[in-house]
Amino acid sequence: MSEYQPLSSIDFETNPDDLAKFFDIHDIREGISKSKFIALGSTSWLCSSLKTHDKEGISPDSKENLASRKKFFGTNEPEKPPINSIWAIIFDALKDFTIELLLAAATVSLIIGIVESEKEGWYEGISILVAVAIVVSVASTQDYLKELQFRKLNEEIKRLKIAITRNGILEEIFQDDIVVGDLVSLNPGDITPADGILVRSYGIIVDESAMTGESVSVKKGENDPFILSSSVIVEGTGDMIVCAVGKNSLAGRSHLFLLKQDKELTPLQMKLEKVAKHIGIAGAIAAVIIFIFISFFIFEGAIADDDWESDDTSDLLTAFILAVTILVVAIPEGLPLAVTLSLAFSMRKMKDEKIFVKHLSACETMGGCEELLIDKTGTITKNEMRVVKFKIGLKKIDLKTPIKDKNLAEIIAKSIARNTTADIRKIEEKLIKTGSRTECALLMFLSDWGFNFRTLRDLDTQAMQIPFSSESKKMTTFHVGFEKEGYLYVKGAPERVIEKCKYYFKEDGTISELSAEIIQEFNFLITEWSQKMIRTLALAYRPGTLEDLQLNERPSKEDIENAEKNMILIGIFGIEDPLREEAKSALNQLKNAGVTVRMITGDSKEIAAKIGKQCDILDIDYELHEKSQIMSGKDFTDRVGGVKEEFDEEEKKRYYKIGNEEEFNKVSASLRILARCSPYDKFVLTIGLRNSDKIVGVTGDGTNDSLALKSANIGIAMMTATPMAKESSDIILLDDNIQNIVTAVRWGRNIYQNIRRFLQFQLTVNIVALLLCLIGAISVASSPLSAVQMLWVNLLMDSLAALALATQDPDDRVLDSKPYGKNEYILSSWIIANIVVQSVYQMVIMMVILYLGPYIFGIDAGWDSDWPDEESTHYTICFNTFVMLQLFNQINCRKTRAEEYNVFSGIFQNRTFLSIFSVEFALQIIFVQLGGDFMNTEPLDLYQILICIMIGSSTLVVTLLFKISTIQFYQRKSD
């Protein structure tokens, strides 16, 4: 039985039961029922489509027809799982142990307070409950909005384009616009967007592991025409009629069981979790000590009075609430929130700059990128191929005027039209190119000669097609004429095509034998063009009877490959792919930012070296005989011993290692270009660099780049990339602009800086707050800050400060430093020193106000009042000064480098920061002046408020002086 049989040869219209019989002869795969296919396909309509697809694709599709099909069959957009409601998120937040403990204690306090005093006893309990409700509501609302935003961002990546045929025209549409009945073109590397039936197959081999879990690729054809959604086309080309879309497809049903978003922690988040854990432990210890000391004083007073009163019980409960509150404040919920906000903010900003981030971790990882393996075609170059040279024999041919020999001109036209799958058409004066850019260049050449490639393509006579692959470096098609004559067409790399040729055409249409001297001339020509950055492509064909070719009407792939001999070389095309204007500048920026840039390409060493010099990847005086900076993929892989796969029995994990790591380290130290490399060569280089503890980024646009993209720490695909390359990547450049790689690095590093900014701020707040409460409890038997005030600080300093500091735009110096390493501690030595200086300074200020405040301001001491049941001006000043110190230190934390003296630089361009700072400042004044019983505050006069603001702003001066002294210290040290 042959591999290919057009289903249109079966007369379904005469006998519709033949469709069911056709299904009966196949092994229906698990999960796919034939009744499902028949029902969704609408038997009579499907039969009509099958009979017309060879010539026109699907029957004419009016808007009304498409609309009715969408209504009846649905669209390819998967059904969305329900998003968590705000109430569900709030409920999850309330499950936190410390929050539950605080709520329970506040409830007990409320009950006791009401029993003691129905009029005023409920103030403290209600104020704590309200404060907790505000904290939980703000955090939950942020989580809810974050989930909505991520959902919206992540859905956009699914709007990939796919080539389909409608009204006999090949066009690209978004895959979620596909409907039942569309004819989808399948090519190597494509990911099938729906379930369907194969109606044309040329050696289609499919990887269905995403759906079936079976790792063995499956051959598709007459014996198994069913194509499952989300399958990868490993080999071959063909067309399939869509039979099930959206929730009716296998992938659509599976989609309902997927998580709404990626929950895996990034490396940065794991680092921060450890930091948060350590801070939480310190907070727990402080809370226990504070509770013990306050309890000691309560019990000491009760023993002295020889009486335990209800006030003692209330005071003990207040101490417990304070201890739990301190624990809540100490646990820095703002850390993961700051990470999330910074990542989300950066993702949105990057999207505005035409960079689509698929995974949150990609933002963070890009900032640490140390090695960038950059694909030449489509990344450094424009991937806008055009024919610039053409030679038949060794004669230069005019690109705009057809040759005089009409027969040879027609052979050239058919060789191109029949051995390509790309398409070019005009829509509203705009040229739309679909498919391979190299093939589009050839089709444009045919158009200039006045040929219509669509009329010459003759798909009805096509009996076999072997698509281009990185291994074979050629594409072959076989057509059978009406008189049983056969035509074999081959195009590809000249060295692969010429070796199959025995003859060649001359310009006048005569055929001569291809001698060794002529082959040498062609090789000189290819080398000359390569040195000028011109890619070469050879065309060859072989006509003859089926008997002469030793082929039947439906040959196998092996039969075709055996027939590829004694062919006639038609000519050599020179195709140019212009360098992107921004390439040199972008690559130099990356190099100056400490990123090692290496170019990987399938082109020859000559072309690679030429481009490498133009982009400053290679020195301008570099010569090819110097093998240290440029190597062929094969030489490199052979030298380093390739990649070996090993399995760790203990961890049950598979990992890869380089065969000869010592040799790899020696070679990679100077290697800058890998030429003539295969997908495996790229994979070897990627794995080797990753195993050297480097953060590796890989760019690419082809299916052959997918392995390296998936293996890298971060894969970057172009918008024009194949579906498989996009699926394997973490970031997609929506406008194919290489400058956006630099932008992605800037934003990635900025995320790291934003987290440092917030961590510097948060640690200072926590250290001062814990020490202030601890010293107060030990020395004056009470905390200067009440539980409600601590909760307000937690809300103010965690949520709002996280939002303010996590939304800083990258500054001009972010690319001046080297990438942060995998094992680098998140806080620099200067940041740690600044935290210590700020904490010491703020504690000195707070101790002065705590112990000398009553004398300085002429007021009663806070510990003399029945705190916190009675408002105290003294403790209100303590509370207000503490918050003002943190607010102004928030401005300090915008800058994380010692040399950044001006902390106000760029502040007026950051409206988010200014708005949040203004809101924080205003709310603090309002709560102090109007908080009363709820906030345990006494209104301050203008003089007292201004003193608090002045003291708070002094942190700006302290930081400036510290920076100046630090810079002078380093200068003296360097001298």
Side-chain angles (χ1 to χ4, degrees):
M1 189 171 287
S2 65
E3 182 182 77
Y4 165 76
Q5 178 185 358
L7 301 189
S8 55
S9 64
I10 303 175
D11 190 2
F12 295 127
E13 275 190 0
T14 304
N15 185 4
D17 290 338
D18 281 352
L19 182 61
K21 292 178 182 177
F22 177 78
F23 285 121
D24 285 338
I25 68 173
H26 299 294
D27 174 23
I28 307 300
R29 304 190 71 81
E30 185 179 355
I32 303 293
S33 67
K34 64 182 178 184
S35 59
K36 178 78 170 178
F37 273 96
I38 295 172
L40 286 174
S42 180
T43 303
S44 60
W45 177 86
L46 179 58
C47 296
S48 172
S49 300
L50 289 171
K51 289 183 71 65
T52 60
H53 86 273
D54 276 330
K55 293 183 179 179
E56 299 179 352
I58 296 302
S59 301
D61 287 316
S62 64
K63 290 183 179 179
E64 292 77 12
N65 188 8
L66 283 173
S68 63
R69 266 196 275 161
K70 286 183 180 180
K71 184 177 180 181
F72 185 76
F73 297 115
T75 65
N76 200 41
E77 185 175 359
E79 185 173 327
K80 299 172 185 176
I83 194 168
N84 285 335
S85 69
I86 183 67
W87 299 111
I89 295 175
I90 290 175
F91 182 73
D92 286 341
L94 289 172
K95 290 180 179 179
D96 182 83
F97 175 72
T98 54
I99 294 294
E100 289 177 342
L101 202 60
L102 195 57
L103 287 174
T107 303
V108 173
S109 174
L110 177 63
I111 295 171
I112 294 175
I114 292 175
V115 170
E116 290 181 348
S117 173
E118 293 184 4
K119 186 177 179 181
E120 298 179 352
W122 55 273
Y123 285 171
E124 183 181 2
I126 288 295
S127 61
I128 294 173
L129 290 174
V130 171
V132 171
I134 292 173
V135 171
V136 170
S137 298
V138 170
S140 301
T141 302
Q142 289 170 338
D143 287 342
Y144 180 71
L145 294 176
K146 176 196 70 177
E147 189 170 351
L148 286 177
Q149 181 184 29
F150 288 168
R151 182 168 184 161
K152 181 180 177 182
L153 287 171
N154 290 333
E155 281 173 1
E156 294 191 30
I157 192 58
K158 298 171 186 173
R159 287 186 62 80
L160 300 177
K161 287 193 171 183
I162 196 79
I164 69 160
T165 301
R166 282 181 184 170
N167 294 319
I169 298 174
L170 184 67
E171 59 180 302
E172 285 188 338
I173 65 170
F174 287 113
Q175 67 178 28
D176 51 7
D177 289 330
I178 290 173
V179 294
V180 169
D182 280 336
L183 188 69
V184 178
S185 299
L186 303 177
N187 294 288
D190 285 351
I191 299 173
T192 54
D195 295 339
I197 299 175
L198 202 62
V199 294
R200 180 187 288 116
S201 170
Y202 301 112
I204 289 274
I205 295 177
V206 179
D207 178 2
E208 298 179 336
S209 58
M211 288 292 100
T212 66
E214 299 173 7
S215 58
V216 179
S217 297
V218 181
K219 188 175 183 180
K220 296 291 181 177
E222 181 182 350
N223 292 329
D224 184 0
F226 295 107
I227 302 291
L228 306 181
S229 46
S230 295
S231 299
V232 178
I233 307 300
V234 177
E235 187 178 326
T237 59
D239 300 303
M240 79 169 190
I241 286 184
V242 175
C243 293
V245 297
K247 63 182 180 181
N248 296 317
S249 69
L250 188 61
R253 295 198 299 273
S254 300
H255 176 76
L256 297 179
F257 298 98
L258 297 178
L259 293 175
K260 296 182 286 298
Q261 64 187 53
D262 188 6
K263 300 289 186 181
E264 185 178 350
L265 291 177
T266 69
L268 178 58
Q269 286 173 320
M270 286 189 282
K271 283 183 182 180
L272 293 177
E273 274 209 341
K274 291 180 180 179
V275 174
K277 183 179 179 181
H278 294 154
I279 297 173
I281 292 172
I285 293 172
V288 170
I289 294 173
I290 289 170
F291 178 70
I292 290 173
F293 270 94
I294 294 179
S295 300
F296 172 78
F297 288 119
I298 294 172
F299 280 106
E300 184 184 41
I303 293 172
D305 296 337
D306 198 22
D307 184 26
W308 183 271
E309 300 177 354
S310 60
D311 287 345
D312 295 324
T313 303
S314 180
D315 290 343
L316 189 63
L317 182 61
T318 300
F320 178 74
I321 291 174
L322 180 64
V324 175
T325 304
I326 288 172
L327 183 59
V328 172
V329 173
I331 297 173
E333 302 95 343
L335 278 178
L337 177 62
V339 174
T340 301
L341 287 172
S342 187
L343 290 170
F345 172 75
S346 300
M347 282 180 71
R348 181 170 58 82
K349 287 285 190 176
M350 289 167 75
K351 184 173 176 290
D352 291 341
E353 300 193 47
K354 305 298 183 184
I355 306 169
F356 187 84
V357 181
K358 290 171 59 179
H359 309 120
L360 276 180
S361 59
C363 294
E364 166 206 326
T365 310
M366 200 65 208
C369 181
E370 300 168 275
E371 295 276 350
L372 182 65
L373 309 184
I374 191 163
D375 185 48
K376 179 188 75 68
T377 305
T379 307
I380 295 178
T381 58
K382 291 183 178 180
N383 199 18
E384 294 177 0
M385 307 289 192
R386 60 174 183 262
V387 175
V388 293
K389 294 181 181 292
F390 179 39
K391 285 201 173 184
I392 299 178
L394 295 171
K395 180 73 175 178
K396 182 179 178 181
I397 304 300
D398 191 336
L399 300 177
K400 300 295 182 182
T401 307
I403 57 177
K404 296 180 180 179
D405 188 286
K406 302 295 184 183
N407 181 55
L408 180 54
E410 186 175 343
I411 289 174
I412 294 170
K414 286 185 176 180
S415 294
I416 293 174
R418 291 181 170 184
N419 201 16
T420 53
T421 58
D423 185 77
I424 297 177
R425 54 194 168 86
K426 271 190 176 181
I427 297 179
E428 298 177 354
E429 300 303 316
K430 185 179 180 181
L431 202 62
I432 305 298
K433 298 178 181 179
T434 305
S436 163
R437 292 299 183 263
T438 301
E439 291 188 350
C440 287
L442 295 175
L443 297 181
M444 289 293 294
F445 165 79
L446 277 193
S447 179
D448 291 340
W449 269 21
F451 287 100
N452 186 337
F453 69 88
R454 289 191 183 89
T455 60
L456 296 172
R457 193 158 270 177
D458 292 331
L459 292 179
D460 285 336
T461 65
Q462 190 178 91
M464 172 53 74
Q465 182 184 101
I466 303 176
F468 177 88
S469 71
S470 54
E471 287 75 28
S472 66
K473 296 190 181 299
K474 62 182 179 62
M475 176 179 177
T476 305
T477 55
F478 177 59
H479 284 249
V480 178
F482 296 108
E483 301 297 327
K484 304 301 180 184
E485 72 276 14
Y487 301 93
L488 202 60
Y489 301 97
V490 177
K491 78 170 189 298
E495 64 269 21
R496 295 295 179 89
V497 175
I498 291 175
E499 67 183 11
K500 297 181 178 296
C501 296
K502 186 177 180 180
Y503 310 97
Y504 74 101
F505 273 113
K506 292 185 176 179
E507 184 196 9
D508 58 6
T510 59
I511 298 175
S512 296
E513 188 169 346
L514 192 61
S515 64
E517 292 77 11
I518 296 297
I519 291 176
Q520 188 175 16
E521 289 289 335
F522 276 122
N523 289 334
F524 284 146
L525 175 68
I526 293 165
T527 301
E528 179 188 345
W529 285 2
S530 295
Q531 290 173 346
K532 295 178 180 179
M533 268 178 51
I534 297 174
R535 295 181 61 185
T536 52
L537 188 75
L539 291 185
Y541 101 122
R542 182 186 176 189
T545 64
L546 294 180
E547 185 178 351
D548 292 339
L549 297 173
Q550 297 181 340
L551 296 172
N552 56 41
E553 292 187 35
R554 300 296 171 196
S556 66
K557 178 181 176 181
E558 292 73 22
D559 293 336
I560 293 292
E561 290 175 341
N562 291 333
E564 291 177 357
K565 58 185 178 181
N566 299 330
M567 302 194 72
I568 306 170
L569 180 65
I570 297 173
I572 307 289
F573 282 95
I575 300 175
E576 190 176 59
D577 185 10
L579 195 71
R580 292 185 183 274
E581 292 83 1
E582 72 277 6
K584 182 175 181 179
S585 170
L587 295 181
N588 278 325
Q589 282 182 272
L590 289 170
K591 288 166 63 179
N592 293 335
V595 180
T596 301
V597 179
R598 306 175 195 262
M599 186 170 75
I600 49 179
T601 177
D603 283 329
S604 65
K605 286 184 180 180
E606 290 78 11
I607 292 179
K610 186 80 173 179
I611 294 178
K613 290 179 181 179
Q614 290 186 352
C615 296
D616 291 342
I617 294 176
L618 294 178
D619 299 332
I620 197 67
D621 57 350
Y622 178 81
E623 298 295 336
L624 276 179
H625 67 269
E626 301 175 26
K627 296 183 179 180
S628 60
Q629 292 189 46
I630 183 168
M631 294 179 68
S632 70
K634 186 178 185 305
D635 291 343
F636 167 77
T637 300
D638 290 345
R639 187 168 169 181
V640 303
V643 168
K644 295 180 180 179
E645 184 177 333
E646 297 187 2
F647 187 78
D648 191 320
E649 292 291 345
E650 292 184 4
E651 297 185 4
K652 302 298 180 184
K653 185 177 179 182
R654 196 179 307 276
Y655 63 95
Y656 301 97
K657 62 180 297 185
I658 298 297
N660 189 334
E661 292 184 357
E662 183 179 348
E663 188 65 22
F664 177 88
N665 293 332
K666 188 186 301 181
V667 172
S668 63
S670 58
L671 181 68
R672 291 296 175 268
I673 294 179
L674 205 59
R676 287 293 188 208
C677 64
S678 67
Y680 179 69
D681 301 326
K682 298 176 185 179
F683 174 68
V684 172
L685 181 57
T686 304
I687 292 298
L689 291 172
R690 284 201 64 173
N691 290 352
S692 301
D693 218 18
K694 301 287 187 181
I695 298 178
V696 183
V698 173
T699 74
D701 65 346
T703 300
N704 62 329
D705 299 318
S706 300
L707 184 60
L709 287 169
K710 196 72 175 177
S711 305
N713 294 99
I714 182 163
I716 307 168
M718 315 304 280
M719 189 58 188
T720 53
T722 62
M724 193 170 180
K726 289 178 181 176
E727 184 73 17
S728 303
S729 66
D730 303 289
I731 288 178
I732 296 177
L733 305 183
L734 299 179
D735 61 353
D736 290 350
N737 191 333
I738 189 176
Q739 183 65 41
N740 283 339
I741 298 177
V742 182
T743 305
V745 171
R746 287 178 70 242
W747 278 105
R749 293 192 182 182
N750 188 63
I751 289 169
Y752 200 72
Q753 290 300 326
N754 282 344
I755 303 307
R756 279 180 158 182
R757 292 179 180 111
F758 177 75
L759 201 54
Q760 176 181 342
F761 172 76
Q762 180 69 56
L763 288 176
T764 305
V765 174
N766 284 7
I767 290 171
V768 176
L770 292 180
L771 288 177
L772 181 61
C773 292
L774 183 61
I775 293 173
I778 295 172
S779 62
V780 295
S782 66
S783 168
L785 303 178
S786 70
V788 176
Q789 290 172 356
M790 292 289 284
L791 287 172
W792 165 240
V793 169
N794 184 59
L795 175 65
L796 193 71
M797 301 309 163
D798 267 15
S799 302
L800 294 180
L803 185 59
L805 292 172
T807 54
Q808 290 280 114
D809 288 334
D811 56 42
D812 295 334
R813 298 185 180 184
V814 75
L815 291 178
D816 292 345
S817 57
K818 293 182 179 180
Y820 60 85
K822 264 186 177 180
N823 302 317
E824 177 184 320
Y825 189 59
I826 192 168
L827 296 178
S828 67
S829 58
W830 185 87
I831 290 178
I832 294 173
N834 190 50
I835 291 172
V836 172
V837 169
Q838 274 294 328
S839 299
V840 170
Y841 172 72
Q842 290 187 23
M843 278 306 302
V844 170
I845 293 293
M846 294 309 300
M847 290 301 99
V848 169
I849 293 178
L850 177 62
Y851 296 120
L852 302 179
Y855 307 104
I856 296 173
F857 293 99
I859 54 179
D860 293 333
W863 54 82
D864 289 336
S865 64
D866 192 9
W867 182 258
D869 296 324
E870 294 179 4
E871 294 76 26
S872 163
T873 301
H874 178 204
Y875 279 175
T876 301
I877 291 175
C878 284
F879 169 57
N880 199 39
T881 303
F882 170 77
V883 172
M884 288 299 166
L885 285 168
Q886 310 317 319
L887 283 178
F888 283 96
N889 190 43
Q890 192 171 294
I891 298 175
N892 282 328
C893 293
R894 293 181 63 250
K895 305 297 180 180
T896 58
R897 298 184 184 90
E899 66 272 16
E900 294 176 308
Y901 295 128
N902 186 5
V903 294
F904 294 100
S905 174
I907 194 171
F908 295 105
Q909 282 72 48
N910 190 342
R911 294 181 180 178
T912 302
F913 183 89
L914 286 176
S915 300
I916 292 174
F917 182 85
S918 301
V919 169
E920 289 174 325
F921 189 89
L923 287 176
Q924 174 62 18
I925 298 298
I926 291 171
F927 281 174
V928 166
Q929 297 301 101
L930 305 178
D933 293 334
F934 176 77
M935 290 291 294
N936 294 124
T937 57
E938 186 78 23
L940 304 179
D941 59 34
L942 181 60
Y943 168 75
Q944 292 166 339
I945 292 175
L946 291 176
I947 290 295
C948 293
I949 294 173
M950 184 182 68
I951 293 173
S953 63
S954 66
T955 61
L956 301 174
V957 179
V958 170
T959 297
L960 177 62
L961 293 175
F962 176 64
K963 287 182 177 181
I964 293 173
S965 62
T966 302
I967 289 294
Q968 290 177 346
F969 169 76
Y970 283 126
Q971 287 177 343
R972 288 197 304 269
K973 190 175 180 180
S974 61
D975 292 341

